[in-house]
Amino acid sequence: TAKTQAALQSLLQTKIAMDRPTGSAIVQAETSQERESKTQFVKYKARETAPGYNPAAATRVIQILPAQLDPMMPPKHKHEKAPRGPAEDFVPVLQAPNEKLSKEERAAWNIPACISNWKNTRGYTIPLDKRLAADGRHLQETPTINSNFATLSESLYVAERQARQEVRLRAQVQQKLALNTQEQREQELRQLANQVRLERQHQKQQPPKEEDDDVSSSPPTTKKPATLVETLGGIDSSSSSSEDEKDEDDTDEQVAERQRERLRMERKRERERELRMEHQKSHQPDSTSSKKQKLEAERDVSEKNCLG
């Protein structure tokens, strides 16, 4: 019938239109025929400050032509439709009424549009998983932090705290040792001062009978017989006799302080004399210089403070 013939004709025309390539020879031929009608002429005046300006050709005319296309060029973009489904109706699935979706759920169920034809030159059908991957929604997930980072940081903190505690204990032990050494040195100096004071008192209680004659006949630079005071401090006889009277009223601390001062001065003179001797023998080094350096290196801090 006429109705059937019209339906078949519409299907044939649709198939022919679909099979006809877009941008084919026919379209290109039409474009070539209309090239002259699409030609345009543009007149403009050149700017004087422009590079390459020519005063003789200040006004110019440009002819604009449509670009020549290849009539045999195949279509660049082609989008094929998916095959049609079966003709029978599907069996309806009984389900609960649709609930109102939230904004997050709508965004999760949203399927992005197909990739543009510029990126799909062959016209492939893009599956849903690839289209979801192109959306980039899975790249925004928050990364999970490994628990080993917390374990490592805690271990480092414990190790640092233990190292600080060990350093603190070591410093306390060294400080106690230094204090003990200093106290022992002060005790030795105090005992030495007491011994010297007792010796002086003993000498004053039992003075020799011939002392006046010896003092009057001998010059003031003569010395008494060697005693413990002279061995430690190198004190002359004339100065010792005058100082004995002053030391009677002094306390133990003042006596010890004066004794340390004498020892310090004596050691200073000895060091100066040794330095002069080493300076004279600088061209002939021997083993004594190394021994003295070793002795200075091994000397305690409290002893250096006492000796100046």
Side-chain angles (χ1 to χ4, degrees):
T1 61
K3 186 176 181 180
T4 305
Q5 186 176 1
L8 292 175
Q9 190 68 22
S10 63
L11 289 175
L12 288 175
Q13 293 296 334
T14 303
K15 290 290 185 181
I16 292 172
M18 290 179 61
D19 294 337
R20 182 187 232 174
T22 58
S24 60
I26 299 174
V27 178
Q28 301 303 330
E30 292 176 356
T31 304
S32 300
Q33 292 176 0
E34 297 176 358
R35 185 177 183 184
E36 294 181 0
S37 62
K38 294 181 180 181
T39 302
Q40 297 179 4
F41 293 91
V42 178
K43 181 179 180 181
Y44 77 99
K45 186 177 181 181
R47 190 175 56 184
E48 296 181 0
T49 58
Y53 174 73
N54 187 7
T59 304
R60 302 184 183 185
V61 179
I62 299 176
Q63 182 183 6
I64 301 176
L65 299 175
Q68 181 67 37
L69 301 176
D70 187 5
M72 303 304 295
M73 182 183 298
K76 294 182 178 180
H77 312 297
K78 185 177 181 181
H79 180 68
E80 296 180 357
K81 293 184 178 180
R84 186 176 296 177
E88 297 132 356
D89 296 334
F90 291 100
V91 178
V93 178
L94 300 178
Q95 58 185 2
N98 296 332
E99 297 179 358
K100 187 175 181 180
L101 299 178
S102 62
K103 184 176 180 181
E104 292 78 9
E105 292 176 349
R106 285 198 305 271
W109 282 100
N110 182 28
I111 298 175
C114 182
I115 299 176
S116 64
N117 292 329
W118 293 97
K119 300 179 182 179
N120 188 18
T121 56
R122 296 183 180 271
Y124 294 134
T125 302
I126 308 300
L128 293 178
D129 57 344
K130 300 299 186 297
R131 291 164 66 177
L132 292 175
D135 190 13
R137 63 183 67 184
H138 299 290
L139 300 177
Q140 300 176 1
E141 296 180 358
T142 55
T144 57
I145 300 176
N146 195 350
S147 61
N148 293 332
F149 286 103
T151 305
L152 176 61
S153 62
E154 185 177 1
S155 301
L156 292 175
Y157 175 73
V158 171
E160 183 181 1
R161 184 175 58 186
Q162 186 176 1
R164 289 179 183 275
Q165 186 176 3
E166 291 177 358
V167 170
R168 192 186 307 108
L169 293 176
R170 193 180 297 109
Q172 292 178 0
V173 171
Q174 292 180 357
Q175 187 177 6
K176 288 182 180 179
L177 291 177
L179 290 175
N180 293 336
T181 306
Q182 186 177 1
E183 291 178 359
Q184 185 178 2
R185 181 64 179 173
E186 291 179 356
Q187 185 69 19
E188 292 177 357
L189 293 175
R190 195 177 295 109
Q191 291 178 2
L192 185 61
N194 293 333
Q195 185 178 359
V196 172
R197 187 173 64 257
L198 292 175
E199 185 177 352
R200 287 178 180 175
Q201 292 178 1
H202 183 69
Q203 289 180 1
K204 191 173 182 180
Q205 290 177 3
Q206 298 178 1
K209 296 181 180 180
E210 300 177 357
E211 184 177 1
D212 299 333
D213 299 337
D214 295 339
V215 171
S216 61
S217 60
S218 61
T221 57
T222 56
K223 298 182 180 179
K224 294 181 179 180
T227 60
L228 181 60
V229 179
E230 295 180 358
T231 55
L232 295 175
I235 306 173
D236 296 339
S237 61
S238 59
S239 61
S240 63
S241 61
S242 61
E243 290 179 357
D244 290 339
E245 297 177 358
K246 298 180 180 179
D247 292 340
E248 292 179 357
D249 300 334
D250 295 340
T251 59
D252 297 345
E253 290 78 5
Q254 295 177 354
V255 173
E257 184 178 358
R258 285 197 296 271
Q259 185 64 25
R260 289 196 295 270
E261 185 67 24
R262 295 191 191 102
L263 289 173
R264 191 179 297 109
M265 296 300 295
E266 185 65 23
R267 292 290 180 89
K268 184 178 180 181
R269 286 194 294 270
E270 289 181 1
R271 287 197 299 271
E272 291 177 356
R273 185 173 59 84
E274 291 175 359
L275 289 174
R276 287 194 299 271
M277 294 177 63
E278 290 180 359
H279 183 68
Q280 292 176 1
K281 297 180 180 181
S282 59
H283 299 288
Q284 297 179 359
D286 51 357
S287 61
T288 57
S289 61
S290 61
K291 291 181 180 179
K292 292 176 182 178
Q293 293 177 0
K294 184 177 180 182
L295 181 61
E296 289 292 334
E298 294 177 355
R299 180 167 292 174
D300 191 24
V301 178
S302 59
E303 186 177 356
K304 290 182 181 179
N305 294 332
C306 293
L307 298 178

